[in-house]
Amino acid sequence: MKTLMHICCAPCSIVPTESLRRQGMEVMGFFYRHNIHPYSECVKRQQTLEQYSRKIDLRVIYQEDYDMEGFVRNVAYRESNRCSYCYHDRLRTTALMARRGKFDYFSTTLLYSKFQKHDTIRSIDESVGKALGVPFFYQDFRTGWKTGITASKELGMYRQKYCGCIYSEKERFYRPKTDRAKITDRPKI
Ligand code: SF4
């Protein structure tokens, strides 16, 4: 069975890739770039994945363009709900590629992260899969959360400190003077 797996970053890909391979699946990765800002950060994450995928013999398709402007335009004035747009665009793009490449399933490493909105991702995945006629492979990869962290540290991987978009970078590092203690519920990685 061939699965196209959307990969958000190398550290998050360790557990899902190993798990799917253990289940006998042939896995190919897809790295989506529009939501990773700024560009130098996107390149850093991509290079980390390139190194890791060579090491484990994983073929990965890298999105060629970098439409940061389109991403920002699409979430403008609804920044507080931007993750739904972001998940949907990443997963729809993956499903379309899976359909074109005649994959049996599509999936995502977003299902590994404890910081992401797991149930929202699952529901978007399922509806995108139904609409496009590509089966979505669901698994709760969060059970391997600690294993993945340990493995990525042992491999000396670059581990980013924020989710991806420029808004998440601000939320991770900026604290207004009047509200230093405020903690947002946005995903960190
Ligand atoms: S916080 Fe993460 S999931 Fe949400 S919009 Fe930004 S990159 Fe996408």
Side-chain angles (χ1 to χ4, degrees):
M1 289 286 179
K2 280 171 42 180
T3 300
L4 183 66
M5 184 166 68
H6 158 255
I7 296 180
C8 58
C9 63
C12 287
S13 73
I14 297 173
V15 166
T17 306
E18 283 178 0
S19 178
L20 293 182
R21 282 180 165 176
R22 266 201 307 275
Q23 293 171 63
M25 292 204 186
E26 187 186 328
V27 184
M28 185 183 280
F30 167 56
F31 185 70
Y32 176 104
R33 298 163 23 120
H34 305 332
N35 69 310
I36 307 171
H37 314 151
Y39 182 62
S40 55
E41 173 71 20
C42 182
V43 169
K44 210 166 173 181
R45 293 188 195 187
Q46 180 167 327
Q47 286 171 342
T48 307
L49 179 58
E50 284 168 350
Q51 271 177 3
Y52 179 59
S53 61
R54 272 197 297 274
K55 195 179 178 69
I56 62 164
D57 199 18
L58 173 71
R59 284 190 298 158
V60 179
I61 302 165
Y62 295 90
Q63 198 169 40
E64 282 180 12
D65 48 352
Y66 180 68
D67 189 16
M68 183 198 72
E69 296 84 353
F71 180 92
V72 171
R73 269 197 303 271
N74 274 302
V75 302
Y77 301 108
R78 47 180 173 151
E79 289 84 357
S80 60
N81 194 31
R82 65 182 185 271
C83 299
S84 298
Y85 163 77
C86 182
Y87 293 145
H88 187 269
D89 202 53
R90 287 193 270 178
L91 299 171
R92 184 171 181 277
T93 307
T94 309
L96 282 170
M97 293 184 68
R99 189 171 71 179
R100 208 177 311 136
K102 299 194 180 350
F103 283 81
D104 299 294
Y105 297 100
F106 75 102
S107 194
T108 175
T109 57
L110 292 168
L111 296 170
Y112 162 78
S113 175
K114 282 190 170 181
F115 293 111
Q116 299 290 345
K117 298 170 183 176
H118 194 93
D119 294 339
T120 306
I121 294 162
R122 183 179 186 176
S123 124
I124 291 175
D125 258 324
E126 282 168 354
S127 67
V128 161
K130 265 188 204 142
L132 296 176
V134 192
F136 157 59
F137 183 87
Y138 172 75
Q139 189 175 325
D140 189 349
F141 297 117
R142 291 175 300 182
T143 51
W145 178 245
K146 282 192 180 151
T147 307
I149 291 176
T150 305
S152 65
K153 286 182 177 168
E154 283 173 0
L155 288 164
M157 269 182 191
Y158 167 64
R159 294 171 44 79
Q160 66 272 5
K161 300 206 167 15
Y162 60 97
C163 186
C165 65
I166 201 67
Y167 310 98
S168 63
E169 195 268 356
K170 176 181 173 183
E171 287 172 355
R172 176 70 176 79
F173 297 110
Y174 175 71
R175 293 285 179 275
K177 275 188 185 163
T178 51
D179 196 12
R180 294 266 184 219
K182 188 179 173 192
I183 297 171
T184 75
D185 65 352
R186 292 279 159 209
K188 294 189 186 67
I189 60 171

